[in-house]
Amino acid sequence: MAISPKIEVTKDGSNTLLHPKFNTHYHSIFGAIEESNHVFIDAGLKFIKTNLQNDTCRILEVGFGSGLNAFNTLISSEELALNIDYVGVEQYPISIEIVSQLNFPKAFKREDLQSTFYKMHDTEWEKSVKISKNFTLEKRQQDIFNFKDENYYDLIFYDAFGPGSQPELWTAPIFEILFKSLKDKGVLVTYCAQGAARRAMQSVGFTVQRCPGPPNKRHMLRAIK
């Protein structure tokens, strides 16, 4: 069942959402797009681009949510000349009414992609859909604990709610599932830099780097298989 979180404006003018159940924001209130660019595009997609064997990148996002990171990746795929195979896992989809009010196309100055952003949310779940010439999306409504893909992804965007809201999502059992889902030398990036989360990643085999964080955060984590 779709939910209707509250829309808020962050410091860079882009929207975030406040989840009604967990009382936590989907994106940083200090700049949703700035956080997405810093953590997932710059530290993730651009970092791994040079290690790809071809011009295709398979991405798993845990916490599809508002679709901000997927939309940002679609835009970036044009600039980086990459073909993106994107899987977004989301246990609590937002309503299409909320989607229609989000300002991401305007905030990116890509109003030409307004219908594309809407399509990303309106497509059928559990089905791979061609969104643009070089971006394919499959949305899965499932609990990440039940995720079964192995040795498939080049990059993981780990954008789950933080340890204060869902501590079970920052433990070794989750990171073991994600470790298995990555190809050798695959990368996981996340905004969270909590010590317990870093140690949980290391315990399942990740090599973890603590990187400079987005606005108002000292650090973020990048984990390599």
Side-chain angles (χ1 to χ4, degrees), residues 63-222:
F64 180 79
S66 70
L68 169 58
N69 295 324
F71 187 60
N72 198 358
T73 303
L74 182 147
I75 294 170
S76 298
S77 70
E78 299 175 354
E79 301 167 0
L80 298 173
L82 283 174
N83 295 310
I84 304 293
D85 177 5
Y86 200 101
V87 173
V89 175
E90 177 57 58
Q91 195 171 2
Y92 305 101
I94 64 176
S95 67
I96 204 69
E97 289 77 18
I98 290 294
V99 171
S100 68
Q101 299 173 57
L102 292 172
N103 73 351
F104 298 140
K106 182 178 180 180
F108 276 107
K109 296 182 172 56
R110 291 300 306 266
E111 288 94 339
D112 59 306
L113 294 178
Q114 180 69 56
S115 61
T116 301
F117 176 67
Y118 191 88
K119 179 181 178 181
M120 295 171 80
H121 283 276
D122 199 40
T123 54
E124 188 177 344
W125 288 79
E126 325 302 335
K127 182 179 179 181
S128 183
V129 178
K130 191 83 168 176
I131 302 296
S132 69
K133 182 176 73 172
N134 56 344
F135 188 95
T136 301
L137 173 65
E138 180 184 349
K139 299 180 299 181
R140 300 183 191 176
Q141 186 175 359
Q142 69 174 119
D143 187 330
I144 191 61
F145 279 99
N146 298 324
F147 199 73
K148 303 296 184 185
D149 293 2
E150 293 192 8
N151 194 35
Y152 186 81
Y153 299 97
D154 300 292
L155 178 61
I156 294 175
F157 293 166
Y158 200 64
D159 203 19
F161 291 138
S165 300
Q166 291 187 288
E168 70 278 8
L169 297 184
W170 301 90
T171 58
I174 280 291
F175 292 121
E176 184 174 11
I177 291 170
L178 299 178
F179 187 86
K180 290 178 179 179
S181 76
L182 282 169
K183 298 177 185 177
D184 187 39
K185 298 183 180 179
V187 172
L188 178 152
V189 285
T190 183
Y191 65 89
C192 179
Q194 188 186 75
R198 175 172 50 83
R199 291 188 290 274
M201 293 177 192
Q202 291 170 329
S203 74
V204 303
F206 279 113
T207 298
V208 184
Q209 302 170 342
R210 195 165 60 169
C211 306
N216 205 55
K217 281 188 69 70
R218 183 175 296 178
H219 296 115
M220 58 160 282
L221 297 179
R222 181 165 56 212

Side-chain angles (χ1 to χ4, degrees), residues 12-28:
D12 66 9
S14 57
N15 290 149
T16 188
L17 297 169
L18 183 65
H19 196 285
K21 177 179 178 180
F22 298 108
N23 194 34
T24 191
H25 290 97
Y26 284 60
H27 313 293
S28 172

